Amino acid sequence: MYSIIDYIIRLSFCEKLNIYDTRINYIKENYNENVKKDILDICKTKKYTPFVAKLLINLDLDINYWSKVKEHYFSRNNEIIVFLNKFFTKTATSNINDIFVYENFGALLFSRTDISLFGSGDVDLLTPINNYQVICKIFSELDFLETKNQNFFKLL
């Protein structure tokens, strides 16, 4: 037997909801503040929060709270896009044309889906190693700091 938390997590990743799905009624009948607290605890470690927020808004549950959560991710991710536009403008003027956004944020951008659904805090870029020094300089110009982290450099 699944719990309400299991149902919420599982349904959060469904592209379309079936209104006849019995799990939806179960969620609507059993959602409360304790469930919200448990969901938030799980979501923090799994980065599910934006998906859960979208589901619960669609189910008309605790809309005031979950709309603010969804708006937070939407605003944050739009700031990332604004930054990436500045960054790629600088790479283009430095004749670096072989750098790409990939992994989760790249997939989200490519899919043209709801930008608020990116819950991770990092954006992965891929470029040949010979661009490393120029890329570091560009990040520095954009107020990022370079820190040594294990066997690679991470820009924060």
Side-chain angles (χ1 to χ4, degrees):
M1 177 77 179
Y2 292 109
S3 72
I4 184 172
I5 306 296
D6 294 322
Y7 287 155
I8 289 171
I9 299 297
R10 288 169 188 269
L11 286 174
S12 295
F13 295 99
C14 292
E15 189 172 324
K16 293 183 180 179
L17 295 176
N18 177 348
I19 61 169
Y20 300 107
D21 190 325
T22 57
R23 296 173 296 182
I24 292 173
N25 286 333
Y26 183 79
I27 291 168
K28 286 182 172 186
E29 291 169 4
N30 293 284
Y31 179 85
N32 59 43
E33 286 298 312
N34 289 331
V35 169
K36 179 166 76 174
K37 181 190 172 304
D38 291 343
I39 291 170
L40 289 170
D41 289 343
I42 292 169
C43 287
K44 285 179 189 174
T45 59
K46 299 290 187 182
K47 301 176 186 166
Y48 296 159
T49 307
F51 294 96
V52 169
K54 183 177 179 181
L55 170 69
L56 295 176
I57 290 166
N58 288 340
L59 296 180
D60 292 326
L61 293 170
D62 205 356
I63 292 176
N64 279 343
Y65 179 80
W66 292 108
S67 292
K68 290 175 188 168
V69 170
K70 192 171 185 301
E71 178 57 34
H72 162 76
Y73 284 98
F74 181 84
S75 296
R76 185 198 68 173
N77 296 338
N78 273 319
E79 287 178 29
I80 292 171
I81 290 171
V82 167
F83 167 78
L84 286 172
N85 285 331
K86 289 178 191 174
F87 175 77
F88 284 117
T89 298
K90 285 185 166 284
T91 60
T93 58
S94 298
N95 292 321
I96 296 177
N97 299 310
D98 51 355
I99 184 165
F100 309 94
V101 177
Y102 75 114
E103 293 285 336
N104 297 334
F105 200 70
L108 183 73
L109 292 174
F110 185 75
S111 72
R112 298 185 185 275
T113 191
D114 182 350
I115 196 69
S116 70
L117 296 179
F118 180 65
S120 181
D122 66 324
V123 174
D124 299 298
L125 299 171
L126 179 65
T127 191
I129 193 71
N130 60 321
N131 293 334
Y132 181 78
Q133 293 302 321
V134 176
I135 296 296
C136 287
K137 182 177 181 275
I138 291 170
F139 272 117
S140 179
E141 291 169 1
L142 294 169
D143 297 325
F144 278 68
L145 301 173
E146 183 179 3
T147 61
K148 187 158 180 144
N149 185 356
Q150 296 176 354
N151 295 326
F152 59 93
F153 287 91
K154 183 176 183 180
L155 295 164
L156 302 172

